[in-house]
Amino acid sequence: MPTFAVTETREEEPAPDARPVWRRVLMSLPFWLVVGTVLGCVMGSVAPQFSKDAAPTQNVFLRPIQFVVLPLVFSSLVVGIAGQPDLKKLGKLAVKTFVYFEVVTTLALVIGLLSVNLFKPGGDGLSVAKDPGVKSADTLTYALWVNHLTPKTWGEMMGGSGSSELLQVLVASVLFGCATAMVPSEQHRNVILAMCRAVMEVMFKFVDIIIWAAPVSVMFSIAAVVGKAGGLGVLASLGKLVAVLYGTILFFIVVVFGVVFLILRINPVEFMVAMKEPLIIAYTTATSEACLPQVFEALEAYGVNPRITSFVVPFGYSFNLDGSTLYLSLAAIFCAQATGVTKSVGEQVIMVLMLMISSKGVAGVRSASIIVLAATLTQFDIPQWPITLILGVDWFMDMARTFCNVFGNCLAAVAMAKWEGEFRTPEFLAQRGVNAESSQITALDEIGVVSKD
């Protein structure tokens, strides 16, 4: 079955390349985001007063994104929990996989939080452009947190003030997903899962439509900020944000993944050579789903038992998003810094816990991180307008976090295979004519085997 999937994917690859380069560029969202960023800079410099007056135009993208939060987060988490029948059957592997994912993604969130507090990418240029009507967030007390934690009615969860209560949505989703998984009737369980999958598919298409309003939102948001700040110096913080993200992800890969390489005695160079095809696709397309067939192919050629990859990789695509979780903690505090909102250590810890849960359910979709980020900012009374600034460079940051996501999922599959004794088994070595005693197959040889297929 993997061979058939790979063959089918390779037959479909040349089709996009047949289009002229200019058409591919014009149909590319990153291109229009760059255009929107440039036009916003020009508009803010040339017509500052008009830019400030036209600032509400940025809401043509922000408000529809808020509409997506409740149905998308709820349905995706329910499917992620109730749609995992292998959790009981696989037993020990499922527990090990889940613990590994939670430890690594928690480290990603914490490292992102420490990095943004250390380097403060939003602490200088953008603070001068904050909205005069923005108020600091109320102190988050235990009583207030409990009230936000427990869902009371669907209407309250949707948010009577116009913004959904993300924490209540998360709690309700987890409880509903667990309850669905416990339903004895498989027919009833499948009805709920089919309905949630249908809602997810519709919401994904909805995002695919409204995402094209993002360049307009970026243009007017950047124009307003440049106009209020009196110049382009404010955009220096965006360059600093990109540099901090890339540096933090590099640090995370070297330190956290480096420890995994060291403990499990995995050759990092050999691993990266073997995984180069899915990693390159992930970085250039900025979508982890685009390289999924290549991930299965590369892992199997590297020596991971398909029994491991068939569970760990799909599970990891929803629950092991290291790059995205690191980005979310960094971007959330960046927005607070950019708007002059101060968050205590306790509030940042609670924000990290919320992000750790909410980042699990919306994987594999372009701008899913933006949806989670927007909902989290609303929950903590942080103005959302810096999101449109981030969108101006998000296409470049998305490449790095997608690379990190795919890197982490490939490494997780190898780690689970090592722990389960399913890495380069005697059967695998026999198929390649290698003795078990000399099982150091080079990655280049494995890539050669793949190319022959």
Side-chain angles (χ1 to χ4, degrees), residues 4-180:
F4 175 76
V6 171
T7 304
E8 184 179 0
T9 303
R10 288 181 174 176
E11 289 177 354
E12 294 177 354
E13 281 177 1
D17 296 334
R19 296 183 303 170
V21 175
W22 63 268
R23 179 173 295 179
R24 277 182 286 164
V25 171
L26 291 179
M27 295 297 292
S28 169
L29 179 65
F31 169 77
W32 290 109
L33 288 173
V34 172
V35 171
T37 301
V38 174
L39 292 179
C41 294
V42 174
M43 185 187 301
S45 301
V46 176
Q49 187 57 47
F50 171 78
S51 300
K52 289 185 282 186
D53 295 339
T57 309
Q58 64 185 301
N59 291 328
V60 298
F61 173 72
L62 288 178
R63 290 178 67 85
I65 280 291
Q66 294 173 358
F67 169 80
V68 174
V69 171
L70 174 60
L72 181 56
V73 172
F74 183 87
S75 59
S76 58
L77 277 177
V78 170
V79 170
I81 295 172
Q84 293 289 343
D86 291 334
L87 285 177
K88 289 184 179 180
K89 186 166 66 175
L90 294 180
K92 186 171 68 172
L93 174 62
V95 172
K96 284 183 179 180
T97 303
F98 185 78
V99 171
Y100 176 89
F101 287 169
E102 289 309 306
V103 170
V104 175
T105 53
T106 301
L107 288 174
L109 283 167
V110 172
I111 289 175
L113 197 63
L114 293 174
S115 178
V116 73
N117 279 283
L118 177 64
F119 296 104
K120 292 181 169 52
D124 299 324
L126 297 183
S127 59
V128 297
K130 68 178 184 178
D131 294 341
V134 171
K135 299 189 236 176
S136 297
D138 296 332
T139 302
L140 189 60
T141 63
Y142 175 74
L144 184 61
W145 183 75
V146 170
N147 289 337
H148 282 289
L149 173 69
T150 51
K152 182 179 179 182
T153 65
W154 286 93
E156 182 181 273
M157 191 166 60
M158 292 177 184
S161 60
S163 59
S164 58
E165 292 284 349
L166 179 62
L167 190 55
Q168 293 185 12
V169 174
L170 297 177
V171 173
S173 303
V174 171
L175 293 176
F176 195 90
C178 292
T180 302

Side-chain angles (χ1 to χ4, degrees), residues 166-205:
L166 179 62
L167 190 55
Q168 293 185 12
V169 174
L170 297 177
V171 173
S173 303
V174 171
L175 293 176
F176 195 90
C178 292
T180 302
M182 296 169 63
V183 171
S185 172
E186 184 178 355
Q187 180 182 1
H188 294 166
R189 195 164 58 245
N190 289 337
V191 168
I192 297 296
L193 287 173
M195 182 180 66
C196 289
R197 289 192 179 101
V199 172
M200 285 176 58
E201 186 174 352
V202 172
M203 289 299 103
F204 293 161
K205 296 300 181 184

